[in-house]
Amino acid sequence: MLKLASAFRPTHSAWNNGNRRHISKSHYDETVVYKYASQKIRPVSLGQLLKYRRLPLSAENILDSVSYSQAELPVRLAKRVISFHRLPFIVGTNPHIARVYSQYYEAFDRLH
């Protein structure tokens, strides 16, 4: 398993009912991220995109779209989180980069 840069290892902040709280990233969380990131991305074909352009959308089309999104978003977010892990340490010390990383991590954490 890839060792995380120290810049991304400390606890990060999240909003909870308007109050700031700290979330600790444990080894378990990293394992889950790596598990999702190891899955293959299912690309969206042009045919699939054209399928959803016709209005009104049927219930079946909506459910297909939601199902695809629910399965695919955590995988894609995990891959982004891992790409942050692979950045050089100095990049992770930039507060703007750290904030974007935190947002990706929190989005993944909520969706998986």
Side-chain angles (χ1 to χ4, degrees):
M1 188 179 290
L2 183 66
K3 188 112 169 124
L4 295 177
S6 297
F8 295 121
R9 275 197 136 346
T11 60
H12 66 279
S13 299
W15 291 97
N16 183 18
N17 299 329
N19 299 319
R20 228 175 165 97
R21 65 184 172 97
H22 290 288
I23 299 173
S24 176
K25 296 178 201 162
S26 69
H27 178 71
Y28 172 77
D29 294 330
E30 294 171 17
T31 303
V32 172
V33 172
Y34 277 91
K35 182 183 109 185
Y36 275 90
S38 68
Q39 297 176 19
K40 290 188 177 191
I41 290 177
R42 297 181 308 170
V44 179
S45 70
L46 185 57
Q48 288 170 309
L49 290 175
L50 291 175
K51 177 179 165 183
Y52 298 107
R53 73 182 173 115
R54 293 183 209 103
L55 294 176
L57 290 175
S58 70
E60 182 183 343
N61 284 353
I62 292 171
L63 289 175
D64 286 346
S65 177
V66 169
S67 175
Y68 176 84
S69 297
Q70 284 180 328
E72 197 63 22
L73 277 174
V75 173
R76 292 176 185 241
L77 288 169
K79 287 184 181 292
R80 291 293 67 85
V81 168
I82 298 304
S83 67
F84 276 96
H85 291 181
R86 294 182 176 145
L87 289 172
F89 172 79
I90 194 71
V91 176
T93 62
N94 181 314
H96 303 290
I97 300 293
R99 185 175 68 228
V100 171
Y101 165 78
S102 181
Q103 290 170 339
Y104 273 110
Y105 185 89
E106 289 171 17
F108 170 79
D109 195 43
R110 289 180 183 153
L111 290 175
H112 83 274

mmCIF file of all heavy atoms in Angstrom, residues 47-71:
data_model
loop_
_atom_site.group_PDB
_atom_site.id
_atom_site.type_symbol
_atom_site.label_atom_id
_atom_site.label_comp_id
_atom_site.label_asym_id
_atom_site.label_seq_id
_atom_site.Cartn_x
_atom_site.Cartn_y
_atom_site.Cartn_z
ATOM 1 N N GLY A 47 -23.669 6.524 -26.772
ATOM 2 C CA GLY A 47 -25.013 5.956 -26.857
ATOM 3 C C GLY A 47 -25.773 6.068 -25.541
ATOM 4 O O GLY A 47 -26.972 6.350 -25.537
ATOM 5 N N GLN A 48 -25.074 5.847 -24.438
ATOM 6 C CA GLN A 48 -25.725 5.971 -23.132
ATOM 7 C C GLN A 48 -26.140 7.418 -22.868
ATOM 8 O O GLN A 48 -27.207 7.666 -22.314
ATOM 9 C CB GLN A 48 -24.787 5.491 -22.028
ATOM 10 C CG GLN A 48 -24.590 3.996 -21.990
ATOM 11 C CD GLN A 48 -23.483 3.606 -21.036
ATOM 12 O OE1 GLN A 48 -22.376 4.131 -21.104
ATOM 13 N NE2 GLN A 48 -23.790 2.673 -20.152
ATOM 14 N N LEU A 49 -25.291 8.363 -23.237
ATOM 15 C CA LEU A 49 -25.639 9.771 -23.041
ATOM 16 C C LEU A 49 -26.843 10.164 -23.894
ATOM 17 O O LEU A 49 -27.727 10.896 -23.438
ATOM 18 C CB LEU A 49 -24.448 10.659 -23.376
ATOM 19 C CG LEU A 49 -23.270 10.596 -22.415
ATOM 20 C CD1 LEU A 49 -22.118 11.442 -22.938
ATOM 21 C CD2 LEU A 49 -23.672 11.044 -21.033
ATOM 22 N N LEU A 50 -26.883 9.688 -25.123
ATOM 23 C CA LEU A 50 -27.999 10.013 -26.017
ATOM 24 C C LEU A 50 -29.308 9.397 -25.539
ATOM 25 O O LEU A 50 -30.385 9.935 -25.795
ATOM 26 C CB LEU A 50 -27.678 9.554 -27.439
ATOM 27 C CG LEU A 50 -26.559 10.326 -28.141
ATOM 28 C CD1 LEU A 50 -26.253 9.696 -29.495
ATOM 29 C CD2 LEU A 50 -26.920 11.789 -28.288
ATOM 30 N N LYS A 51 -29.207 8.292 -24.829
ATOM 31 C CA LYS A 51 -30.396 7.615 -24.297
ATOM 32 C C LYS A 51 -31.160 8.530 -23.337
ATOM 33 O O LYS A 51 -32.385 8.467 -23.249
ATOM 34 C CB LYS A 51 -29.941 6.342 -23.571
ATOM 35 C CG LYS A 51 -31.014 5.557 -22.900
ATOM 36 C CD LYS A 51 -30.383 4.321 -22.251
ATOM 37 C CE LYS A 51 -31.277 3.656 -21.260
ATOM 38 N NZ LYS A 51 -30.633 2.517 -20.606
ATOM 39 N N TYR A 52 -30.458 9.420 -22.648
ATOM 40 C CA TYR A 52 -31.087 10.264 -21.630
ATOM 41 C C TYR A 52 -31.452 11.649 -22.149
ATOM 42 O O TYR A 52 -31.898 12.495 -21.400
ATOM 43 C CB TYR A 52 -30.163 10.383 -20.416
ATOM 44 C CG TYR A 52 -29.913 9.052 -19.763
ATOM 45 C CD1 TYR A 52 -28.695 8.410 -19.888
ATOM 46 C CD2 TYR A 52 -30.920 8.415 -19.056
ATOM 47 C CE1 TYR A 52 -28.473 7.176 -19.317
ATOM 48 C CE2 TYR A 52 -30.709 7.179 -18.481
ATOM 49 C CZ TYR A 52 -29.483 6.563 -18.611
ATOM 50 O OH TYR A 52 -29.266 5.337 -18.046
ATOM 51 N N ARG A 53 -31.273 11.900 -23.435
ATOM 52 C CA ARG A 53 -31.566 13.239 -23.946
ATOM 53 C C ARG A 53 -33.039 13.419 -24.282
ATOM 54 O O ARG A 53 -33.515 14.527 -24.415
ATOM 55 C CB ARG A 53 -30.699 13.561 -25.151
ATOM 56 C CG ARG A 53 -31.109 12.829 -26.394
ATOM 57 C CD ARG A 53 -30.193 13.146 -27.550
ATOM 58 N NE ARG A 53 -30.543 12.293 -28.667
ATOM 59 C CZ ARG A 53 -31.032 12.728 -29.799
ATOM 60 N NH1 ARG A 53 -31.189 14.011 -29.988
ATOM 61 N NH2 ARG A 53 -31.332 11.886 -30.749
ATOM 62 N N ARG A 54 -33.739 12.323 -24.459
ATOM 63 C CA ARG A 54 -35.155 12.400 -24.821
ATOM 64 C C ARG A 54 -36.000 12.668 -23.575
ATOM 65 O O ARG A 54 -35.885 11.965 -22.586
ATOM 66 C CB ARG A 54 -35.595 11.095 -25.475
ATOM 67 C CG ARG A 54 -34.941 10.871 -26.813
ATOM 68 C CD ARG A 54 -35.473 9.602 -27.467
ATOM 69 N NE ARG A 54 -34.426 9.052 -28.311
ATOM 70 C CZ ARG A 54 -33.674 8.011 -28.002
ATOM 71 N NH1 ARG A 54 -33.870 7.370 -26.872
ATOM 72 N NH2 ARG A 54 -32.746 7.585 -28.812
ATOM 73 N N LEU A 55 -36.855 13.669 -23.689
ATOM 74 C CA LEU A 55 -37.743 13.989 -22.571
ATOM 75 C C LEU A 55 -39.140 13.538 -22.932
ATOM 76 O O LEU A 55 -39.521 13.578 -24.098
ATOM 77 C CB LEU A 55 -37.707 15.482 -22.277
ATOM 78 C CG LEU A 55 -36.369 16.002 -21.767
ATOM 79 C CD1 LEU A 55 -36.437 17.501 -21.598
ATOM 80 C CD2 LEU A 55 -35.974 15.334 -20.471
ATOM 81 N N PRO A 56 -39.971 13.167 -22.053
ATOM 82 C CA PRO A 56 -39.681 12.969 -20.634
ATOM 83 C C PRO A 56 -38.917 11.666 -20.406
ATOM 84 O O PRO A 56 -39.049 10.705 -21.165
ATOM 85 C CB PRO A 56 -41.067 12.896 -19.999
ATOM 86 C CG PRO A 56 -41.950 12.372 -21.083
ATOM 87 C CD PRO A 56 -41.370 12.879 -22.391
ATOM 88 N N LEU A 57 -38.134 11.644 -19.378
ATOM 89 C CA LEU A 57 -37.374 10.444 -19.028
ATOM 90 C C LEU A 57 -38.310 9.420 -18.395
ATOM 91 O O LEU A 57 -39.164 9.771 -17.585
ATOM 92 C CB LEU A 57 -36.265 10.779 -18.043
ATOM 93 C CG LEU A 57 -35.109 11.606 -18.587
ATOM 94 C CD1 LEU A 57 -34.152 11.964 -17.462
ATOM 95 C CD2 LEU A 57 -34.370 10.839 -19.665
ATOM 96 N N SER A 58 -38.121 8.195 -18.753
ATOM 97 C CA SER A 58 -38.938 7.139 -18.152
ATOM 98 C C SER A 58 -38.387 6.814 -16.766
ATOM 99 O O SER A 58 -37.230 7.107 -16.457
ATOM 100 C CB SER A 58 -38.928 5.887 -19.028
ATOM 101 O OG SER A 58 -37.645 5.287 -18.993
ATOM 102 N N ALA A 59 -39.207 6.190 -15.958
ATOM 103 C CA ALA A 59 -38.774 5.781 -14.618
ATOM 104 C C ALA A 59 -37.598 4.818 -14.708
ATOM 105 O O ALA A 59 -36.659 4.881 -13.903
ATOM 106 C CB ALA A 59 -39.933 5.147 -13.860
ATOM 107 N N GLU A 60 -37.623 3.961 -15.725
ATOM 108 C CA GLU A 60 -36.530 2.997 -15.911
ATOM 109 C C GLU A 60 -35.215 3.715 -16.220
ATOM 110 O O GLU A 60 -34.169 3.363 -15.674
ATOM 111 C CB GLU A 60 -36.875 2.026 -17.038
ATOM 112 C CG GLU A 60 -35.806 0.973 -17.261
ATOM 113 C CD GLU A 60 -36.132 0.063 -18.429
ATOM 114 O OE1 GLU A 60 -37.302 0.024 -18.858
ATOM 115 O OE2 GLU A 60 -35.201 -0.602 -18.912
ATOM 116 N N ASN A 61 -35.258 4.737 -17.087
ATOM 117 C CA ASN A 61 -34.051 5.499 -17.412
ATOM 118 C C ASN A 61 -33.505 6.225 -16.196
ATOM 119 O O ASN A 61 -32.293 6.296 -15.982
ATOM 120 C CB ASN A 61 -34.321 6.498 -18.535
ATOM 121 C CG ASN A 61 -34.396 5.851 -19.895
ATOM 122 O OD1 ASN A 61 -34.125 4.664 -20.040
ATOM 123 N ND2 ASN A 61 -34.788 6.621 -20.893
ATOM 124 N N ILE A 62 -34.383 6.783 -15.409
ATOM 125 C CA ILE A 62 -33.958 7.501 -14.202
ATOM 126 C C ILE A 62 -33.304 6.532 -13.228
ATOM 127 O O ILE A 62 -32.236 6.810 -12.677
ATOM 128 C CB ILE A 62 -35.147 8.240 -13.551
ATOM 129 C CG1 ILE A 62 -35.607 9.376 -14.464
ATOM 130 C CG2 ILE A 62 -34.761 8.781 -12.183
ATOM 131 C CD1 ILE A 62 -36.901 10.031 -14.038
ATOM 132 N N LEU A 63 -33.909 5.369 -13.026
ATOM 133 C CA LEU A 63 -33.342 4.379 -12.110
ATOM 134 C C LEU A 63 -31.998 3.858 -12.614
ATOM 135 O O LEU A 63 -31.067 3.639 -11.827
ATOM 136 C CB LEU A 63 -34.315 3.231 -11.878
ATOM 137 C CG LEU A 63 -35.536 3.574 -11.033
ATOM 138 C CD1 LEU A 63 -36.497 2.391 -10.974
ATOM 139 C CD2 LEU A 63 -35.126 4.005 -9.640
ATOM 140 N N ASP A 64 -31.869 3.660 -13.922
ATOM 141 C CA ASP A 64 -30.589 3.236 -14.502
ATOM 142 C C ASP A 64 -29.506 4.278 -14.238
ATOM 143 O O ASP A 64 -28.381 3.952 -13.868
ATOM 144 C CB ASP A 64 -30.710 3.016 -16.010
ATOM 145 C CG ASP A 64 -31.445 1.745 -16.369
ATOM 146 O OD1 ASP A 64 -31.637 0.886 -15.477
ATOM 147 O OD2 ASP A 64 -31.822 1.610 -17.553
ATOM 148 N N SER A 65 -29.870 5.532 -14.437
ATOM 149 C CA SER A 65 -28.916 6.625 -14.233
ATOM 150 C C SER A 65 -28.487 6.726 -12.770
ATOM 151 O O SER A 65 -27.300 6.871 -12.461
ATOM 152 C CB SER A 65 -29.547 7.943 -14.681
ATOM 153 O OG SER A 65 -28.692 9.025 -14.432
ATOM 154 N N VAL A 66 -29.439 6.624 -11.871
ATOM 155 C CA VAL A 66 -29.139 6.694 -10.439
ATOM 156 C C VAL A 66 -28.287 5.511 -10.010
ATOM 157 O O VAL A 66 -27.312 5.669 -9.257
ATOM 158 C CB VAL A 66 -30.447 6.772 -9.609
ATOM 159 C CG1 VAL A 66 -30.185 6.570 -8.135
ATOM 160 C CG2 VAL A 66 -31.143 8.099 -9.851
ATOM 161 N N SER A 67 -28.622 4.336 -10.499
ATOM 162 C CA SER A 67 -27.862 3.138 -10.157
ATOM 163 C C SER A 67 -26.417 3.259 -10.620
ATOM 164 O O SER A 67 -25.476 2.938 -9.881
ATOM 165 C CB SER A 67 -28.524 1.914 -10.786
ATOM 166 O OG SER A 67 -27.756 0.774 -10.564
ATOM 167 N N TYR A 68 -26.234 3.735 -11.857
ATOM 168 C CA TYR A 68 -24.878 3.927 -12.384
ATOM 169 C C TYR A 68 -24.109 4.938 -11.529
ATOM 170 O O TYR A 68 -22.958 4.708 -11.164
ATOM 171 C CB TYR A 68 -24.947 4.404 -13.840
ATOM 172 C CG TYR A 68 -23.592 4.706 -14.421
ATOM 173 C CD1 TYR A 68 -22.815 3.691 -14.951
ATOM 174 C CD2 TYR A 68 -23.086 5.998 -14.423
ATOM 175 C CE1 TYR A 68 -21.560 3.952 -15.473
ATOM 176 C CE2 TYR A 68 -21.836 6.272 -14.938
ATOM 177 C CZ TYR A 68 -21.079 5.246 -15.463
ATOM 178 O OH TYR A 68 -19.830 5.510 -15.961
ATOM 179 N N SER A 69 -24.751 6.045 -11.200
ATOM 180 C CA SER A 69 -24.096 7.091 -10.402
ATOM 181 C C SER A 69 -23.712 6.589 -9.013
ATOM 182 O O SER A 69 -22.619 6.870 -8.527
ATOM 183 C CB SER A 69 -25.005 8.316 -10.273
ATOM 184 O OG SER A 69 -25.247 8.877 -11.534
ATOM 185 N N GLN A 70 -24.612 5.847 -8.378
ATOM 186 C CA GLN A 70 -24.328 5.322 -7.047
ATOM 187 C C GLN A 70 -23.162 4.357 -7.053
ATOM 188 O O GLN A 70 -22.390 4.303 -6.101
ATOM 189 C CB GLN A 70 -25.551 4.635 -6.453
ATOM 190 C CG GLN A 70 -26.595 5.584 -5.949
ATOM 191 C CD GLN A 70 -27.787 4.849 -5.359
ATOM 192 O OE1 GLN A 70 -28.144 3.748 -5.791
ATOM 193 N NE2 GLN A 70 -28.411 5.455 -4.370
ATOM 194 N N ALA A 71 -23.026 3.596 -8.106
ATOM 195 C CA ALA A 71 -21.927 2.637 -8.191
ATOM 196 C C ALA A 71 -20.631 3.305 -8.623
ATOM 197 O O ALA A 71 -19.548 2.933 -8.159
ATOM 198 C CB ALA A 71 -22.285 1.525 -9.174
#
